[in-house]
Structures are given as C-alpha cells and as structure tokens.
C-alpha cells in the first residue's frame, strides 16, 4: 500500500485519494503474484468480477445523479460518460497489445468485447430479473428511435471498415483521426436527436 513513485505533490495527493480503494482491494483480493498464492487465481478472478459489479453499480448511480443535477438526460450520460468509463479497460488492453505489435489482437479485442456486451452483458441481467419471483416475466425496453440507432450503428460500421481498407488494413495516425471524427459525429447526431429532433 505504500506509494511506489511519488515524484510530485500531485502524485502524493492522487495516492491519498486512491488509498481507500487500494486498501480494500489489497485486503479482499488475493495477490497471486506472490510465491505460493498461484492456487488462488480463480478466487481472485471471481472476487475481481464482484468488485467490478459493485463499482459499476455505484458508477451508474452517481452518473445518473450528476446527470439529473446538471440537467443532462440519462441517454446522453450513458452514451458518453458511462460508455467511456466502461471502455477504459478495453482501451488500456488495446494500447498494450498494439504497442507490442499485435494490431490485429487490439482490433479483435475491441470487437469481441462489444459482441460480449451485447450477447452476454445485456441478456444476463434481463434473465436474472425475469427468473427472480417478482411477478414479471419480461423487461420493457423503450424502443423510441431504436431503428434509427441501429441504422446509424450500421452506417458507422461501414465507415470504419472503409476507412481501414483505405489505410491498407494498417493502424495509422490518419485512421486514428478518422475514428475520432466518426465518434464526435456520432455524438453530434445523438445530441441533435435528443434536443432538437423528436423522431429519434
């Protein structure tokens, strides 16, 4: 728990802010890097997943509260802050493998993560909700503008594939700029649909 690299005042302040989290994880998650602790790897994995669930629960609640306080719709909060927060692990893993020369692994990891989110991350809570004896056997989904969002998603997918093809199927700086442009374009249309147009 002691600070490893405190070379500035900001580093020390950051360590003080994060010490409750570091202490909680250190005392609840087995450190399998230590000699003789390798057999606890599965327990560490399960406990880590549980902590991710707990942190995600509070993150969603805090994001909703902040959005309501600032007058930001829940849809926009989910599209921006929550999406960015939940994608940070994907970002870090993609950066690590890309810097090691495994660009195909970086791209496939991002694609696989999104497929996992849609086909596993969404159905599991729905299934748990319907199995729980609460008198309801379905989950209502607000479908306003869902077809438009699906079309926009497909258009974005086509644009990304075309951009990668134009770059010779290589991860370049130009391709990175394209990706940022497409993301801000997507955010712009989402904001227009939320605040100006009523058919979205």
């Amino acid at each position: 728990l002691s600070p490893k690299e405190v070379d500035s005042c900001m580093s020390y302040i950051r360590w003080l802010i994060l010490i409750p989290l570091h202490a909680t994880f250190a005392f609840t998650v087995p450190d399998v890097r230590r000699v003789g602790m390798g057999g606890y790897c599965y327990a560490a994995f399960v406990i880590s997943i549980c902590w991710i669930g707990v942190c995600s629960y509070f993150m969603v609640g805090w994001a909703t509260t902040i959005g309501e306080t600032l007058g930001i719709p829940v849809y926009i909060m989910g599209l921006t802050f929550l999406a960015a927060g939940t994608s940070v692990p994907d970002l870090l893993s993609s950066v690590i493998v890309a810097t090691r020369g495994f660009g195909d692994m970086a791209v496939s990891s991002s694609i696989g993560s999104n497929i996992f989110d849609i086909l596993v991350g969404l159905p599991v809570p729905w299934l748990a909700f319907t199995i729980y004896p609460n008198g309801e056997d379905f989950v209502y989904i607000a479908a306003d503008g869902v077809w438009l969002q699906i079309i926009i998603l497909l258009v974005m997918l086509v644009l990304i594939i075309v951009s990668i093809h134009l770059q010779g199927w290589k991860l370049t700086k130009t391709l990175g700029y394209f990706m940022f442009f497409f993301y801000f374009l997507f955010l712009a249309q989402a904001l227009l649909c939320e605040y100006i147009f009523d058919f979205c």
Side-chain angles (χ1 to χ4, degrees):
L1 298 178
S2 60
K4 296 181 180 180
E5 296 180 359
V6 181
D7 53 0
S8 64
C9 181
M10 289 303 299
S11 299
Y12 186 73
I13 293 176
R14 183 170 61 249
W15 175 78
L16 287 177
I17 294 175
L18 296 177
I19 189 62
L21 290 177
H22 289 318
T24 302
F25 298 150
F27 289 119
T28 57
V29 181
D31 188 358
V32 297
R33 296 172 298 180
R34 296 181 178 179
V35 178
M37 296 291 290
Y40 294 94
C41 60
Y42 300 107
F45 177 78
V46 173
I47 296 173
S48 300
I49 295 297
C50 293
W51 272 121
I52 291 175
V54 172
C55 294
S56 299
Y57 175 81
F58 285 105
M59 181 182 67
V60 172
W62 292 337
T64 303
T65 302
I66 294 174
E68 293 176 349
T69 303
L70 300 178
I72 303 176
V74 177
Y75 171 73
I76 300 300
M77 292 296 293
L79 194 66
T80 53
F81 294 99
L82 286 182
T86 56
S87 298
V88 168
D90 296 337
L91 171 64
L92 296 178
S93 62
S94 297
V95 169
I96 292 174
V97 297
T99 53
R100 293 181 179 179
F102 302 106
D104 52 348
M105 183 182 295
V107 175
S108 61
S109 173
S110 299
I111 296 175
S113 174
N114 286 276
I115 293 177
F116 182 87
D117 291 341
I118 295 174
L119 298 182
V120 179
L122 290 178
V124 167
W126 296 346
L127 183 62
F129 179 81
T130 54
I131 292 177
Y132 186 77
N134 54 11
E136 298 184 16
D137 57 354
F138 66 92
V139 177
Y140 178 76
I141 303 175
D144 297 337
V146 65
W147 286 110
L148 178 62
Q149 297 301 323
I150 293 176
I151 293 175
I152 292 174
L153 180 62
L154 293 176
V155 171
M156 284 292 174
L157 180 61
V158 172
L159 290 175
I160 291 173
I161 294 176
V162 171
S163 300
I164 297 176
H165 175 71
L166 293 177
Q167 295 299 310
W169 299 97
K170 298 179 181 178
L171 301 179
T172 62
K173 291 183 178 179
T174 304
L175 180 61
Y177 294 141
F178 274 127
M179 296 295 185
F180 276 112
F181 174 74
F182 292 149
Y183 178 71
F184 288 118
L185 189 65
F186 174 75
L187 289 183
Q189 67 82 26
L191 293 173
L192 289 175
C193 288
E194 183 69 24
Y195 290 104
I196 297 179
F197 302 112
D198 296 330
F199 58 82
C200 299

